[in-house]
Amino acid sequence: MAFHHVRFPLDIALGARGGPERRTDVVTLAGGGEQRNGRWAQSRRRYNAGYGVKSRADMQAVLAFFEERRGRLHGFLWRDGIDHSSGGKVPAKTDQAIGTGDGTRTEFQLTKTYGAAFDPYVRVIVKPMAGSVRVAVDGVEVMSGWSVDVTTGGIAFASAPADGAAVTAGFLFDVPVRFDTDRLDIEWSNFDAAEAPSIPLVEILP
């Protein structure tokens, strides 16, 4: 298996459905109460790209993409229409806190935090969009002296940020996914249209 750094056709992805999934065990006790246990430390996103197929041309594009990925074998990039930014539509340099300098540490991982007061969830971002990443140290944007690995989401500084310095970042990102089926069930509804009732995709977790 491999990961192909190519994005699923964006115009089709924007018509798709999906979002995060979690796995929780719920046990009902004899007295009517319940106990709950979260089995997954991370959420996992699932999508159905079938809703985005509007024409024969769309289906032909999906078919070619599916065949090149060999079904479930190879991963690829997916643009989540709702959640693909560190903050607003245009990333800001202080959108996300990604670490604190100690004077020797030079490597930091891009993350996105959901929630704040109760139990924030920190999501590791591994597929930032090239050219979209902005980095700041103590609120001052750093224009050079660092690099980002778009295959892992790692930030590497040439010189370590000072002890106690807040390191923040803003970015756009894709979701690493794979097809969750080895079969496409295509319906030819008329001469110039095709429907694929289900094209399931599942996130590849780091």
Side-chain angles (χ1 to χ4, degrees):
M1 64 181 183
F3 191 90
H4 297 171
H5 280 264
V6 59
R7 187 177 295 121
F8 187 89
L10 188 57
D11 54 341
I12 301 174
L14 292 177
R17 295 182 183 179
E21 172 190 37
R22 287 192 172 272
R23 187 66 54 84
T24 306
D25 290 332
V26 180
V27 178
T28 302
L29 305 178
E34 64 181 30
Q35 291 184 341
R36 298 178 299 278
N37 179 57
R39 294 176 60 187
W40 292 355
Q42 304 179 70
S43 60
R44 190 179 199 185
R45 279 143 180 82
R46 288 185 178 274
Y47 305 96
N48 189 339
Y51 293 101
V53 176
K54 300 296 189 295
S55 67
R56 181 187 182 100
D58 287 347
M59 193 63 252
Q60 289 174 327
V62 170
L63 180 63
F65 197 90
F66 178 87
E67 290 284 35
E68 191 171 6
R69 308 288 89 72
R70 307 298 194 270
R72 293 186 295 176
L73 185 60
H74 301 308
F76 54 93
L77 300 173
W78 171 266
R79 174 57 55 88
D80 187 319
I82 298 297
D83 188 9
H84 62 268
S85 174
S86 58
K89 186 175 181 180
V90 177
K93 63 183 184 295
T94 56
D95 279 345
Q96 299 293 324
I98 62 171
T100 302
D102 60 8
T104 59
R105 179 183 176 189
T106 58
E107 297 184 356
F108 297 80
Q109 176 66 45
L110 290 180
T111 58
K112 181 175 180 179
T113 300
Y114 298 79
F118 296 98
D119 189 13
Y121 170 58
V122 179
R123 177 186 179 189
V124 176
I125 303 299
V126 296
K127 303 299 179 188
M129 181 179 170
S132 74
V133 181
R134 302 176 64 186
V135 173
V137 176
D138 274 345
V140 179
E141 186 161 11
V142 181
M143 305 304 295
S144 62
W146 61 274
S147 61
V148 58
D149 187 336
V150 295
T151 68
T152 66
I155 299 290
F157 287 90
S159 299
D163 186 25
V167 181
T168 58
F171 46 86
L172 300 176
F173 64 93
D174 290 305
V175 183
V177 301
R178 62 168 172 79
F179 286 104
D180 200 24
T181 181
D182 279 322
R183 177 175 181 264
L184 286 184
D185 189 12
I186 303 169
E187 176 186 348
W188 301 106
S189 53
N190 61 57
F191 181 75
D192 193 39
E195 295 181 3
S198 180
I199 306 176
L201 312 174
V202 63
E203 182 178 7
I204 301 171
L205 293 177

